[in-house]
Amino acid sequence: MAAAAAALGGLGLLRARLRLAAAAAATFAALGRTGHRAPPLRGGVAAAALPSAGRSYGSQAKEEEELRVRYLDDEHKGIVVLGLNRSHAKNALSKNLVKMMSKAVDALKSDKKVRTVVFRSEVPGIFCAGADLKERAKMHSSEVSSFVSKARATINELANLPVPTIAAIDGTALGGGLELALACDIRVAASSAKMGLVETKLAIIPGAGGTQRLPRTIGVSLAKELIFSARIVDGEEAKSIGLISHVVEQNEAGDAAYRRALALAREFLPQGPVAMRVAKLAINQGMEVDLVTGLAIEEACYAQTIPTKDRIEGLLAFKEKRPPRYKGE
């Protein structure tokens, strides 16, 4: 009887793992069915060449835009840059900015022409100072709860984008600003940048994913230490503890991290678009389960790449010794 019970229990666990794997496959299939080009965001999207060392986005961008969304072209085609631009408030997350971010992310997630998203600041010396506390002080308590929920949902949407995301931290990223960066797949920072989850100084806790993503990034004990102490670290220390992937010396233009992020994004462009999306899905879902279930998820995701036109093109390009010409199919 005991053996039979154990067998039934094992069968139930296997079924649960298979359901997770099937869910991963279904998630990818859903992504593939919504591959239309998203319409430009009003007053925000400008398809133009790579920015110069300066911070201008060109004639199509307006100074009052709090979020600048830009589709790059030429050798950077497929890279989309989201630029925070609230200089008067140190890019603090206001209700309007969060709304704009949500609309931008919603447009990007269904656009198969997007290959990589880079999140940066348009304001020298600052990435994002966190929530707009001046605006919050004027809110009713019920409004605060609603705002935090919306900010959390928007940052989760960013984390769930099907393409690689890179945070280019050229300045201070505190509180919600660091939570925003933590939602990206990869973080690059200038050595002079300052980062920290400082909410405990205000007698609150990180509310947009910081208590969950920071320990998953640098480990539980160290994450507790940083949150309990509200400590701020620079780029060098952030690199040493695994908070960021790359640290660079800041340049005169103040955009060294952004330039490094673009270089990383260019490395992603030649790879198969479908494979990139499926790889991200397999990694993200696999990290939340045990290894056996994770391997089942990987198997289900791998199966999604076998019938694609991109896979046939990749093998043909290898045989003909030429660069592949992927179409994301």
Side-chain angles (χ1 to χ4, degrees):
M1 292 293 291
L8 288 173
L11 180 59
L13 181 59
L14 177 59
R15 286 173 175 167
R17 288 168 174 165
L18 290 175
R19 282 196 297 270
L20 280 169
T27 299
F28 173 74
L31 291 174
R33 288 195 297 268
T34 56
H36 61 278
R37 174 73 174 183
L41 297 178
R42 184 173 58 187
V45 175
L50 174 67
S52 63
R55 301 229 166 216
S56 173
Y57 264 119
S59 59
Q60 296 188 41
K62 299 178 181 178
E63 289 302 318
E64 68 269 22
E65 290 169 356
E66 293 190 348
L67 181 69
R68 294 177 173 180
V69 183
R70 186 169 180 230
Y71 289 76
L72 301 189
D73 212 337
D74 299 326
E75 64 176 321
H76 301 94
K77 188 174 183 180
I79 300 173
V80 177
V81 179
L82 302 182
L84 298 173
N85 189 44
R86 292 192 76 214
S87 58
H88 64 283
K90 298 183 178 180
N91 288 341
L93 300 173
S94 64
K95 289 192 291 186
N96 183 59
L97 180 55
V98 169
K99 180 180 179 180
M100 293 181 72
M101 287 169 51
S102 180
K103 289 176 66 177
V105 171
D106 189 58
L108 293 173
K109 66 185 179 183
S110 58
D111 189 344
K112 290 181 67 176
K113 294 183 179 179
V114 176
R115 303 287 299 280
T116 300
V117 175
V118 176
F119 221 108
R120 69 170 299 197
S121 168
E122 293 295 305
V123 182
I126 190 77
F127 179 75
C128 176
D132 189 333
L133 298 182
K134 291 183 179 179
E135 181 183 72
R136 182 177 293 189
K138 301 175 183 178
M139 294 181 187
H140 187 271
S141 58
S142 61
E143 290 182 283
V144 173
S145 178
S146 176
F147 169 75
V148 173
S149 294
K150 179 62 176 178
R152 182 186 302 114
T154 299
I155 289 176
N156 285 340
E157 289 169 4
L158 172 64
N160 291 328
L161 277 175
V163 297
T165 54
I166 308 173
I169 308 171
D170 274 307
T172 302
L174 300 178
L178 182 55
E179 289 178 300
L180 181 62
L182 283 167
C184 293
D185 299 312
I186 300 167
R187 286 161 296 284
V188 181
S191 56
S192 57
K194 305 296 182 184
M195 290 157 271
L197 295 179
V198 297
E199 286 85 348
T200 51
K201 284 186 176 181
L202 302 175
I204 58 176
I205 70 170
T211 63
Q212 303 305 306
R213 292 192 176 95
L214 186 63
R216 283 169 167 80
T217 302
I218 66 173
V220 174
S221 182
L222 189 52
K224 287 179 178 177
E225 181 180 330
L226 293 186
I227 291 174
F228 294 166
S229 65
R231 185 182 306 154
I232 297 174
V233 300
D234 62 19
E236 295 290 351
E237 185 174 358
K239 175 65 168 65
S240 70
I241 63 177
L243 179 56
I244 62 175
S245 300
H246 303 274
V247 60
V248 292
E249 289 296 322
Q250 190 57 280
N251 56 27
E252 291 185 6
D255 64 354
Y258 171 58
R259 289 179 175 272
R260 183 69 179 93
L262 278 183
L264 276 175
R266 285 196 298 270
E267 289 187 45
F268 302 159
L269 291 180
Q271 320 314 327
V274 174
M276 295 288 282
R277 291 170 179 248
V278 177
K280 177 170 178 174
L281 180 64
I283 294 169
N284 284 357
Q285 295 206 2
M287 289 303 297
E288 301 301 321
V289 298
D290 62 273
L291 179 59
V292 174
T293 307
L295 291 172
I297 291 172
E298 179 185 75
E299 182 178 4
C301 288
Y302 182 86
Q304 299 298 319
T305 66
I306 293 176
T308 63
K309 293 180 180 179
D310 275 353
R311 180 175 181 271
I312 297 172
E313 165 61 15
L315 294 175
L316 185 61
F318 178 79
K319 180 180 179 181
E320 297 176 354
K321 298 182 180 180
R322 60 169 174 79
R325 294 182 290 269
Y326 294 125
K327 297 181 179 179
E329 300 175 347

